[in-house]
Amino acid sequence: VEVLSTGGAYRVLKEAGVGPLREVAEVTEFPEMLDGRVKTIHPRIAGGILAMRSKPEHMRAIAEHGIPAIDLVCVNLYEFEKIAAKKDAPLEELIENIDIGGPTMIRAAAKNWQDVAVVTAASDYASIIAELQASGGVLSSDTHWRLAKKAFATTAAYDRAVSARLAEIPPTGEALPAILDIRAPRKLALRYGENPHQAAALYASGGAGIAGAEQLHGKELSYNNLVDLDAAWQLVAEFDAPASAIIKHTNPCGCAEGATQA
């Protein structure tokens, strides 16, 4: 297996003794430029990814131009969402952390999924390595298809994250953004909704408040449980320091039955 890599990743792989190893610039015969903005956007890379092995004309074309076929694309995108989480991040920093070459290679590999595997998550590394070792360096068609679908989901989520964060920046002269795009993954499947016959789930974009709580025991929560928990949380959040209160328990007639100190 020959590995092609760029920049910092190349240096790390070289220091780790991974090989044979080549820089992408050696394959493209063109240096990285524009502060690293242009590295992999080149016919010698795109052609090696997009060439369909089942089409003789494709294989003849890359052979004619000396383009090596690329069988696996492994990309970790720039951590745009990590930068976007900083509310005071300047626009220039946001823009510089928008990946261009990475999504391009991912989408190209996913489009040619029959011939090229595309890995976009470190959590997949172990299973991919295990399958390659067990099968003599070949991944199954099912694995290729699963990875391709995950790849398109990855680039779609990445583009949405960029669009949503940039949309939060108000137009010049305005105090609030023109669009509020909320993307919230499902955190918890609930026992039922406001009524027992309704389905419900908790969706949250962060881990604050009840959305970040851990259930220690008991049956699955319902929508009404969450509403009550959130109300209690909001009450507690009003205090800056520990506080105590006397909570009176009353029966249906309104008469006090006892008191609990909290």
Side-chain angles (χ1 to χ4, degrees):
V1 175
E2 182 178 64
V3 179
L4 307 181
S5 188
T6 62
Y10 173 83
R11 290 190 292 273
V12 170
L13 292 171
K14 187 175 182 179
E15 291 172 2
V18 173
L21 177 66
R22 298 172 71 190
E23 280 194 275
V24 164
E26 181 184 344
V27 176
T28 62
E29 299 178 352
F30 212 84
E32 295 183 17
M33 59 186 301
L34 306 183
D35 297 322
R37 285 188 170 197
V38 178
K39 292 181 287 191
T40 58
I41 300 176
H42 194 281
R44 284 184 175 271
I45 300 301
I49 296 173
L50 287 166
M52 297 178 67
R53 304 339 184 229
S54 61
K55 289 192 174 184
E57 61 270 29
H58 281 204
M59 303 312 292
R60 282 196 300 269
I62 64 172
E64 179 183 347
H65 295 283
I67 299 174
I70 295 174
D71 299 316
L72 186 147
V73 171
C74 182
V75 175
N76 290 319
L77 296 172
Y78 292 173
E79 295 183 324
F80 177 83
E81 290 184 276
K82 182 178 179 180
I83 303 300
K86 300 191 302 183
K87 295 301 181 184
D88 58 345
L91 178 59
E92 293 76 13
E93 185 178 11
L94 292 171
I95 295 299
E96 284 306 311
N97 280 277
I98 297 175
D99 204 321
I100 302 300
T104 300
M105 288 191 295
I106 289 173
R107 289 175 61 84
K111 179 172 182 174
N112 200 20
W113 67 272
Q114 300 96 327
D115 299 314
V116 182
V118 52
V119 186
T120 57
S123 58
D124 288 326
Y125 292 172
S127 62
I128 295 299
I129 292 171
E131 184 175 343
L132 288 171
Q133 291 174 333
S135 61
V138 178
L139 295 176
S140 69
S141 179
D142 287 344
T143 297
H144 275 243
W145 181 234
R146 174 177 62 80
L147 292 172
K149 290 188 290 184
K150 187 171 185 176
F152 280 121
T154 297
T155 57
Y158 190 81
D159 285 339
R160 181 181 177 122
V162 172
S163 174
R165 181 63 180 88
L166 297 184
E168 292 178 3
I169 300 175
T172 302
E174 297 185 20
L176 298 174
I179 299 174
L180 182 62
D181 188 353
I182 299 175
R183 181 173 178 264
R186 186 176 67 186
K187 283 289 188 75
L188 182 66
L190 302 178
R191 193 165 79 252
Y192 57 81
E194 189 170 7
N195 298 295
H197 68 282
Q198 296 171 321
L202 171 66
Y203 295 84
S205 57
I210 296 303
E214 177 186 359
Q215 183 177 347
L216 300 179
H217 61 82
K219 58 186 178 182
E220 294 178 341
L221 299 174
S222 70
Y223 168 81
N224 291 328
N225 294 147
L226 285 186
V227 171
D228 292 341
L229 284 168
D230 186 62
W233 176 262
Q234 295 297 331
L235 286 172
V236 171
E238 292 184 8
F239 295 93
D240 296 324
S244 62
I246 300 298
I247 303 172
K248 293 184 177 181
H249 301 285
T250 60
N251 59 28
C253 73
C255 305
E257 292 184 334
T260 300
Q261 184 172 358

